[in-house]
């Protein structure tokens, strides 16, 4: 009977501590009569027999610990409490397929008298509305979709008596829920969400949290649906009315933790009792190498993931179960946890993560003779040299000698921009450092675009572009842009050189045209030229490489495009023949280009770390790609934007390719590398957590002060 609560809990079938913290269900459908429970906090997994609740059922929506299920065979619909395993039955709609193809929003727990269920069908011109206590669904006409040639996406939620739903035009509809009970639709269209354009794809969720409404966009690309970054926005309400509402990008979610799956999301205050980290978002995603459970940390701007046991279950079979009555003491997160400290002598200070010792200075350090300091420097480690330069101005003059020592690429990445800091990971010694700099004081999202000689191109939001040497805190501001659209932004030489020029490459969507912009010191704006490609050219995400006075661009098929800055000419080369016959989907494969011992090397790797990496060398006399089996005495460092090659510092580093991923946790993580010796990745990470910064780039530390 509809509205009747039925108890059906089997105590022996539940995992230990189930109900006290969030768990993820992995439903196996008719293939297995079991349900797998995964604890995201400690990465534990348990499999239990619970066929009567889950087999053959689809999840339609969620409110706290209540999940709405539908059975296609019996047309049975009911709410299931994942804590008590009680059921509340409701009548099915007239067409049960409406449930499967639509999106359900629930106003309140179904055991309350004012619960309203709203079903949105993207292919229909009406809403279906059901109120607990009634016996049937009401059909409410909605004409906005037909009038505006739009459709509703999967994300919707009821908040403050309004149904918020996203459309295919990135608009947000705010529909008055009481008006639906009267058989009409009163709604307002809120400004559009500014999501990333193609070739990126996105999955958008709406989550209620502590009286606020958030949208979470998971940006991905490629058929493997690899998540590249996450954007969080909060709906700003105005006392002037619904028309004044707008989405604003935020860097925290108020000490809460979000859990996303299917078409729904939930939130809980982070509580140290069950080990969740505040300001984090958990979500599963079926990628090319298996089902991943991601955790995105807004503070560190890091994505990490573990592999779930089921790699072919649809997202509708992945459900979150968590209680809504946990009382918490919120964790406080501050910049001090990064181990970053300030000094009065410089606006940039670097300090080791585990360095807690402090020295009491009883005399002035600048009284030591420079000659004595230069004898000391070669005996210091690179990190000691970096700290050495920050002691005082006189010591910074002597520190230039460090450039004569051994320097290798570090992985630089940016945490939350509110901290005015960046982080570096030393791949050889597996140590992480943090650097605080006023140059990173930003009002919008920061992204790393390119690095060369210790200088890094950084964008702030969609308009500001600047070049930073993070170790000297020197900044070169470039002219602002109406909208950052560059696919690559390399520069010739270093800022101290007379031929220092910055170039921006923008390839139009269909590969027929390329717009190349340039900027020279002293100019107030970018100078742009448009070129038509002799054949369609679809670039990789790797920046163009300066080789023999020309910029070479690697296409996703393996073809080459060349820009001659002196002649201001662009040409897509007929040779070499592409590595691939067809253009791979953007994101299916990372394509890198770099110069190695006076030759061009192309690197093709998939995100799946079970797949091998393929390297080719350009034979310039025959203009063909030749397979490379060995790197000689070299070590490579590749990321989405940059590629660096250096002579191996030690024999154990020979023939390695380092990628911007880590294995392990933050206290004992190791960088992942591919060995050309045995053609596999190290360490093996199939059973461990993989971590990847959202925006990162390999760069070589440079303490040399640029003198303009």
């Amino acid at each position: 009977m509809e509205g009747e609560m039925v108890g059906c809990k089997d105590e022996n079938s539940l995992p230990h501590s189930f109900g006290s913290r969030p768990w993820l269900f992995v439903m196996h459908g008719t293939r297995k009569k079991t349900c797998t429970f995964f604890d995201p906090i400690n990465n534990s997994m348990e499999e239990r027999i619970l066929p009567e609740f889950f087999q053959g059922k689809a999840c339609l929506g969620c409110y706290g610990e209540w999940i709405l299920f539908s059975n296609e065979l019996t047309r049975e619909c009911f709410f299931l409490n994942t804590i008590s395993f009680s059921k509340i039955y409701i009548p099915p709609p007239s067409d049960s397929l409406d449930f499967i193809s639509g999106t359900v929003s629930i106003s309140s727990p179904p055991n309350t008298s004012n619960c309203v269920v709203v079903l949105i069908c993207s292919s229909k011109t009406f809403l279906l509305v059901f109120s607990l206590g009634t016996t049937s669904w009401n059909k409410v006409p909605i004409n906005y979709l037909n009038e505006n040639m739009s459709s509703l996406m999967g994300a919707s939620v009821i908040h403050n008596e309004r149904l918020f739903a996203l459309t295919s035009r990135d608009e947000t509809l705010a529909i008055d829920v009481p008006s639906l009970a009267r058989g009409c639709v009163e709604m307002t269209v809120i400004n559009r969400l500014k999501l990333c354009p193609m070739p990126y794809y996105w999955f958008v969720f709406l989550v209620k949290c502590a009286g606020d409404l958030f949208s979470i966009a998971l940006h991905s690309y490629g058929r493997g649906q690899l998540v590249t970054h996450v954007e969080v926005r909060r709906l700003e309400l105005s006392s002037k009315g619904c028309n004044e509402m707008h989405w604003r990008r935020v860097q925290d979610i108020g000490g809460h933790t979000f859990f996303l799956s299917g078409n729904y999301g939930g939130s809980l205050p982070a509580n140290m009792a069950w080990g969740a980290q505040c300001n984090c978002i958990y979500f599963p995603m079926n990628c090319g190498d298996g089902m991943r459970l991601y955790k995105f940390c807004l503070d560190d701007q890091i994505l990490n993931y573990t592999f779930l046991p089921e790699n072919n279950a649809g997202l509708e079979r992945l459900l979150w179960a968590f209680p809504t009555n946990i009382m918490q003491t919120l964790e406080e997160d501050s910049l001090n946890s990064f181990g970053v400290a300030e000094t009065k002598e410089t606006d940039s200070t670097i300090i080791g993560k585990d360095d807690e010792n402090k020295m009491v200075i009883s005399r002035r350090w600048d009284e030591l003779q420079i000659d004595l300091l230069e004898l000391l420097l070669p005996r210091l480690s690179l990190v000691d040299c970096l700290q050495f330069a920050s002691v005082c101005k006189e010591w910074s003059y002597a520190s230039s000698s460090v450039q004569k020592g051994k320097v290798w690429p570090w992985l630089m990445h940016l945490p939350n921009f509110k901290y005015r800091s960046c982080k570096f990971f030393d791949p050889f010694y597996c140590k992480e450092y943090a650097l605080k700099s006023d140059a990173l004081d930003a009002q919008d999202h920061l992204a790393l675009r390119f690095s060369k000689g210790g200088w890094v191109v950084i964008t702030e939001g969609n308009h500001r572009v600047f070049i930073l040497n993070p170790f000297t805190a020197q900044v070169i501001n470039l002219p602002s842009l109406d909208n950052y659209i560059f696919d690559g932004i390399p520069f010739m030489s270093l800022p101290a050189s007379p031929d220092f020029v910055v170039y921006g490459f923008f390839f139009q969507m269909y590969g027929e045209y390329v717009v190349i912009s340039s900027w020279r010191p002293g100019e107030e704006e970018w100078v742009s030229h448009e070129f038509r490609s002799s054949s369609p050219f679809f670039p990789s995400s790797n920046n163009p490489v300066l080789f023999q006075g020309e910029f070479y661009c690697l296409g996703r098929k393996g073809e080459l495009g060349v820009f001659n800055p002196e002649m201001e000419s662009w040409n897509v080369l007929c040779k070499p023949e592409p590595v691939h016959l067809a253009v791979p989907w953007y994101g299916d494969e990372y394509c890198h280009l770099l110069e190695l011992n006076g030759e061009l090397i192309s690197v093709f790797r998939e995100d799946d770390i079970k797949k091998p990496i393929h390297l080719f060398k350009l034979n310039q006399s025959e203009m063909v790609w030749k397979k490379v089996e060995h790197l000689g005495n070299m070590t490579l460092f590749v990321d989405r934007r940059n590629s660096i090659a250096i002579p191996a510092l030690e024999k154990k580093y020979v023939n390695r390719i380092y990628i911007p991923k880590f294995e392990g946790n933050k206290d004992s993580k190791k960088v992942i590398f591919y060995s050309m010796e045995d053609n596999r990745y190290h360490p093996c990470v199939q059973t461990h957590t993989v971590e990847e910064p959202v925006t990162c780039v390999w760069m070589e530390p440079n303490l040399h002060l640029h003198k303009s």
Side-chain angles (χ1 to χ4, degrees):
M1 294 180 60
E2 284 76 33
E4 180 181 355
M5 183 175 291
V6 181
C8 50
K9 178 179 177 181
D10 183 358
E11 292 288 345
N12 296 325
S13 65
L14 296 176
H16 176 68
S17 74
F18 187 84
S20 64
R21 60 173 180 257
W23 285 74
L24 181 67
F25 293 75
V26 182
M27 299 174 61
H28 302 284
T30 57
R31 295 178 300 104
K32 294 172 64 177
K33 294 185 177 181
T34 58
C35 179
T36 302
F37 295 83
F38 190 83
D39 185 343
I41 309 305
N42 57 23
N43 293 336
S44 65
M45 181 186 68
E46 300 184 37
E47 192 164 345
R48 301 301 177 97
I49 299 176
L50 294 170
E52 62 176 308
F53 297 149
F54 305 112
Q55 187 172 353
K57 309 221 174 25
C59 172
L60 309 174
C62 172
Y63 192 98
E65 66 265 35
W66 290 93
I67 299 177
L68 179 60
F69 285 102
S70 174
N71 189 318
E72 293 184 57
L73 298 179
T74 65
R75 298 185 71 245
E76 181 184 53
C77 298
F78 60 88
F79 282 97
L80 174 69
N81 187 301
T82 56
I83 306 303
S84 66
F85 275 66
S86 300
K87 289 183 180 180
I88 297 180
Y89 288 88
I90 66 173
S94 57
D95 186 353
S96 61
L97 291 179
D98 290 341
F99 258 157
I100 307 303
S101 62
T103 301
V104 172
S105 296
I106 305 166
S107 65
S108 59
N111 56 353
T112 60
S113 59
N114 59 345
C115 176
V116 176
V117 182
V118 179
L119 173 62
I120 298 175
C121 303
S122 58
S123 60
K124 307 293 183 180
T125 60
F126 54 82
L127 297 175
L128 292 176
V129 182
F130 177 78
S131 299
L132 267 292
T134 62
T135 58
S136 62
W137 293 77
N138 292 328
K139 182 183 294 185
V140 181
I142 178 170
N143 300 318
Y144 178 82
L145 301 181
N146 283 337
E147 294 173 355
N148 293 273
M149 300 182 65
S150 180
S151 61
L152 289 163
M153 297 174 61
S156 66
V157 68
I158 296 177
H159 175 62
N160 290 339
E161 295 191 331
R162 294 190 183 100
L163 172 70
F164 291 88
L166 301 179
T167 74
S168 58
R169 299 174 60 185
D170 301 334
E171 299 165 322
T172 307
L173 305 184
I175 303 174
D176 183 66
V177 173
S179 71
L180 298 178
R182 300 192 298 269
C184 60
V185 176
E186 297 177 4
M187 71 179 186
T188 303
V189 180
I190 306 173
N191 69 317
R192 301 177 67 176
L193 276 171
K194 296 180 180 180
L195 301 175
C196 279
M198 295 288 285
Y200 289 93
Y201 305 89
W202 53 84
F203 302 88
V204 183
F205 298 82
L206 297 178
V207 177
K208 297 187 294 185
C209 176
D212 288 319
L213 182 63
F214 292 84
S215 69
I216 300 94
L218 310 179
H219 293 267
S220 66
Y221 59 61
R223 287 173 294 184
Q225 297 182 347
L226 304 175
V227 178
T228 57
H229 64 286
V230 180
E231 294 184 6
V232 181
R233 290 175 172 84
R234 182 175 61 227
L235 188 64
E236 301 286 352
L237 304 176
S238 171
S239 59
K240 297 180 181 179
C242 190
N243 286 327
E244 299 298 324
M245 290 191 294
H246 64 279
W247 292 105
R248 185 174 69 86
R249 190 167 180 177
V250 296
Q251 297 299 313
D252 64 75
I253 50 180
H256 284 71
T257 305
F258 288 176
F259 302 87
L260 314 175
S261 181
N263 288 329
Y264 68 88
S267 68
L268 283 177
N271 189 318
M272 296 179 64
W274 49 267
Q277 185 178 352
C278 69
N279 229 22
C280 288
I281 302 172
Y282 292 84
F283 57 92
M285 186 66 67
N286 197 355
C287 300
D289 55 356
M291 184 68 73
R292 299 178 178 182
L293 177 60
Y294 281 97
K295 182 183 77 170
F296 173 66
C297 177
L298 277 81
D299 289 332
D300 285 342
Q301 292 291 300
I302 285 179
L303 278 165
N304 63 41
Y305 61 87
T306 55
F307 290 98
L308 294 176
E310 190 69 18
N311 62 4
N312 56 2
L315 291 181
E316 71 277 1
R317 299 189 184 277
L318 299 173
L319 311 174
W320 285 106
F322 50 87
T324 57
N325 58 352
I326 299 179
M327 301 300 294
Q328 348 281 336
T329 300
L330 298 178
E331 291 184 28
E332 292 186 359
D333 218 37
S334 67
L335 186 61
N336 290 335
S337 63
F338 293 161
V340 180
E342 292 187 10
T343 67
K344 297 181 179 179
E345 295 293 338
T346 178
D347 59 356
S348 297
T349 304
I350 189 164
I351 186 169
K353 182 179 179 181
D354 300 322
D355 188 356
E356 298 178 353
N357 298 323
K358 297 185 181 296
M359 180 179 293
V360 178
I361 301 174
S362 59
R363 56 171 296 179
R364 291 179 59 86
W365 291 104
D366 57 5
E367 295 178 3
L368 288 176
Q369 295 181 2
I370 297 298
D371 293 342
L372 179 61
L373 299 177
E374 291 182 345
L375 291 175
L376 176 64
L377 270 170
R379 300 178 180 273
L380 300 180
S381 68
L382 177 60
V383 174
D384 290 333
C385 290
L386 297 175
Q387 294 176 317
F388 181 96
S390 66
V391 173
C392 62
K393 185 180 296 184
E394 284 73 12
W395 284 33
S396 67
Y397 295 148
S399 66
S400 59
S401 298
V402 71
Q403 295 303 120
K404 301 176 183 179
K406 293 181 179 180
V407 178
W408 54 90
W410 286 2
L411 186 67
M412 175 182 178
H413 86 270
L414 298 175
N416 195 311
F417 70 77
K418 67 182 180 181
Y419 294 126
R420 299 187 294 115
S421 66
C422 56
K423 289 188 174 183
F424 298 90
F425 190 84
D426 183 336
F428 295 159
Y429 291 92
C430 298
K431 291 185 178 181
E432 188 172 68
Y433 306 97
L435 176 68
K436 184 174 181 180
S437 175
D438 290 337
L440 297 174
D441 187 6
Q443 302 300 318
D444 205 343
H445 177 71
L446 296 172
L448 304 175
R449 304 293 183 177
F450 176 72
S451 81
K452 183 175 182 178
W455 293 81
V456 183
V457 179
I458 305 177
T459 57
E460 179 184 353
N462 293 322
H463 308 293
R464 187 189 174 208
V465 185
F466 63 99
I467 305 176
L468 169 69
N469 183 329
F471 298 105
T472 64
Q474 292 179 288
V475 177
I476 300 174
N477 287 301
L478 279 61
S480 61
L481 299 164
D482 293 336
N483 191 29
Y484 184 87
I485 57 174
F486 293 147
D487 297 291
I489 184 169
F491 48 79
M492 294 184 66
S493 305
L494 295 181
S497 304
D499 58 347
F500 171 66
V501 185
V502 183
Y503 291 93
F505 290 73
F506 167 60
F507 295 89
Q508 295 181 350
M509 182 177 295
Y510 300 104
E512 297 179 357
Y513 294 90
V514 57
V515 178
I516 301 177
S517 305
S518 64
W519 175 84
R520 291 170 172 80
E523 295 179 344
E524 296 183 355
E525 59 184 18
W526 294 85
V527 178
S528 301
H529 299 280
E530 184 178 83
F531 302 92
R532 184 182 180 89
S533 298
S534 55
S535 60
F537 185 83
F538 300 93
S540 66
S541 60
N542 194 93
N543 272 281
V545 173
L546 184 63
F547 179 69
Q548 297 179 352
E550 297 180 306
F551 282 103
Y552 281 74
C553 303
L554 181 64
R556 300 206 299 273
K557 289 197 303 181
E559 72 274 43
L560 291 174
V562 181
F563 171 67
N564 188 308
E566 183 177 352
M567 303 296 295
E568 293 188 346
S569 63
W570 163 260
N571 185 31
V572 178
L573 302 182
C574 298
K575 293 184 177 182
E577 293 289 336
V579 175
H580 302 298
L581 296 178
V583 179
W585 282 57
Y586 195 92
D588 278 5
E589 191 175 49
Y590 297 120
C591 310
H592 313 280
L593 187 68
L594 69 156
E595 180 181 357
L596 179 63
N597 294 329
E599 296 179 303
L600 278 180
I601 301 293
S602 60
V603 182
F604 298 86
R605 67 177 180 94
E606 298 184 36
D607 194 73
D608 187 348
I609 54 180
K610 299 186 295 293
K611 303 290 183 65
I613 292 180
H614 302 285
L615 280 77
F616 300 89
K617 176 178 66 176
L618 180 63
N619 185 317
Q620 296 183 64
S621 60
E622 301 177 13
M623 288 302 292
V624 295
W625 289 116
K626 296 287 188 179
K627 184 76 173 178
V628 175
E629 303 292 347
H630 199 280
L631 293 173
N633 189 36
M634 302 298 290
T635 307
L636 302 189
F637 303 82
V638 298
D639 57 70
R640 290 197 185 106
R641 298 291 184 184
N642 233 41
S643 304
I644 299 175
I646 66 169
L649 298 182
E650 297 181 24
K651 185 177 180 180
K652 62 181 178 180
Y653 302 132
V654 168
N655 229 17
R656 290 183 177 183
I657 304 173
Y658 285 85
I659 65 173
K661 291 189 176 186
F662 308 100
E663 178 270 338
N665 55 51
K666 64 180 181 179
D667 296 321
S668 61
K669 62 184 179 183
K670 297 180 180 179
V671 70
I672 297 174
F673 65 88
Y674 183 84
S675 173
M676 298 288 288
E677 300 287 345
D678 56 10
N679 294 315
R680 68 184 184 91
Y681 286 93
H682 300 266
C684 179
V685 295
Q686 291 302 306
T687 58
H688 298 84
T689 298
V690 179
E691 181 179 292
E692 182 175 8
V694 170
T695 176
C696 61
V697 68
W698 290 105
M699 61 89 64
E700 299 173 277
N702 179 1
L703 270 69
H704 181 69
L705 285 169
H706 160 57
K707 298 180 180 180
S708 56

